[in-house]
């Protein structure tokens, strides 16, 4: 597996990973959440620094590649949301590649980037019924509210991931 920075040239594949992951992981997707054109547009606005409103321009997307195919990614940026320094915008791994350490490796790369940006805290929005909250809880995330989780010490989070 290789983890590298994604570019706007990867938007099609990133969109496919997001839509496929949602379709295979959830049964109650809202149509807009799995609409290819909507998600593709969203990715273009993200790479062009046009969204989300709370994001600063510093942003990065790491992709995990196996056999020349993107199998997962993490996207994040510096932010002003909830008085945190950074936010995970999007984090998906294709169903058949989950539970193989790819998520931990992607998160570790992202945390390394955050440290170069001098970020110390991190938040992530996740639906309160999403079973993937377990991944964040395993990494000692706390709750800001029912839809947002956080870490106030990125270095401690990175140590936790490397210990597991």
């Amino acid at each position: 597996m290789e983890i590298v920075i994604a570019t706007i040239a990867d938007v099609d594949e990133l969109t496919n990973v997001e839509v496929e992951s949602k379709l295979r992981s959830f049964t109650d997707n809202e149509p807009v959440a799995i609409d290819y054109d909507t998600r593709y547009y969203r990715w273009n606005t993200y790479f062009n620094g046009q969204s989300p409103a709370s994001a600063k321009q510093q942003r990065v997307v790491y992709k995990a590649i196996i056999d020349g195919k993107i199998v997962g990614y993490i996207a994040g940026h510096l932010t002003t949301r909830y008085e945190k320094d950074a936010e995970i915008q999007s984090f998906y791994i294709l169903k058949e590649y989950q539970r193989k350490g790819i998520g931990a490796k992607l998160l570790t790369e992202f945390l390394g980037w955050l440290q170069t940006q001098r970020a110390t805290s991190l938040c992530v929005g996740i639906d309160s019924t999403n079973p993937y909250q377990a991944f964040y809880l395993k990494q000692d995330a706390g709750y800001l509210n029912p839809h947002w989780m956080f870490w106030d010490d990125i270095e401690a989070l990175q140590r936790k991931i490397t210990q597991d």
Side-chain angles (χ1 to χ4, degrees):
M1 177 183 56
E2 181 182 18
I3 296 180
V4 295
I5 293 177
T7 68
I8 198 163
D10 296 310
V11 166
D12 179 58
E13 249 187 302
L14 294 171
T15 303
N16 285 328
V17 167
E18 179 179 356
V19 171
E20 184 179 335
S21 181
K22 288 176 179 177
L23 286 171
R24 297 193 63 213
S25 298
F26 305 106
T27 57
D28 60 346
N29 289 296
E30 293 182 25
V32 71
I34 55 173
D35 179 72
Y36 176 87
D37 291 335
T38 301
R39 307 322 297 166
Y40 184 87
Y41 174 79
R42 178 187 159 278
W43 274 111
N44 275 301
T45 62
Y46 189 77
F47 272 102
N48 288 317
Q50 299 166 317
S51 69
S54 61
K56 297 181 181 179
Q57 287 302 308
Q58 298 90 333
R59 59 190 65 216
V60 69
V61 180
Y62 284 101
K63 60 185 178 180
I65 302 170
I66 296 177
D67 297 328
K69 175 184 172 185
I70 297 176
V71 300
Y73 67 82
I74 188 170
H77 51 268
L78 299 186
T79 191
T80 57
R81 192 185 304 268
Y82 292 113
E83 298 181 5
K84 302 300 177 202
D85 298 324
E87 176 181 345
I88 296 173
Q89 175 68 26
S90 190
F91 193 2
Y92 289 97
I93 299 167
L94 293 173
K95 187 81 169 170
E96 63 269 27
Y97 292 95
Q98 293 175 9
R99 299 192 176 274
K100 298 180 186 305
I102 295 170
K105 289 178 182 172
L106 284 166
L107 184 55
T108 297
E109 287 292 325
F110 178 59
L111 294 173
W113 178 81
L114 289 177
Q115 289 173 327
T116 69
Q117 303 296 309
R118 295 191 168 94
T120 60
S121 60
L122 175 64
C123 63
V124 59
I126 186 165
D127 188 87
S128 61
T129 62
N130 188 321
Y132 293 107
Q133 284 188 48
F135 175 80
Y136 300 127
L137 291 171
K138 181 181 175 187
Q139 310 307 333
D140 296 333
Y143 285 96
L144 287 165
N145 60 48
H147 299 285
W148 285 88
M149 300 177 87
F150 77 100
W151 299 265
D152 276 333
D153 187 343
I154 288 173
E155 289 181 9
L157 172 56
Q158 195 156 34
R159 284 191 302 274
K160 168 80 172 131
I161 292 169
T162 57
Q163 290 172 356
D164 287 346

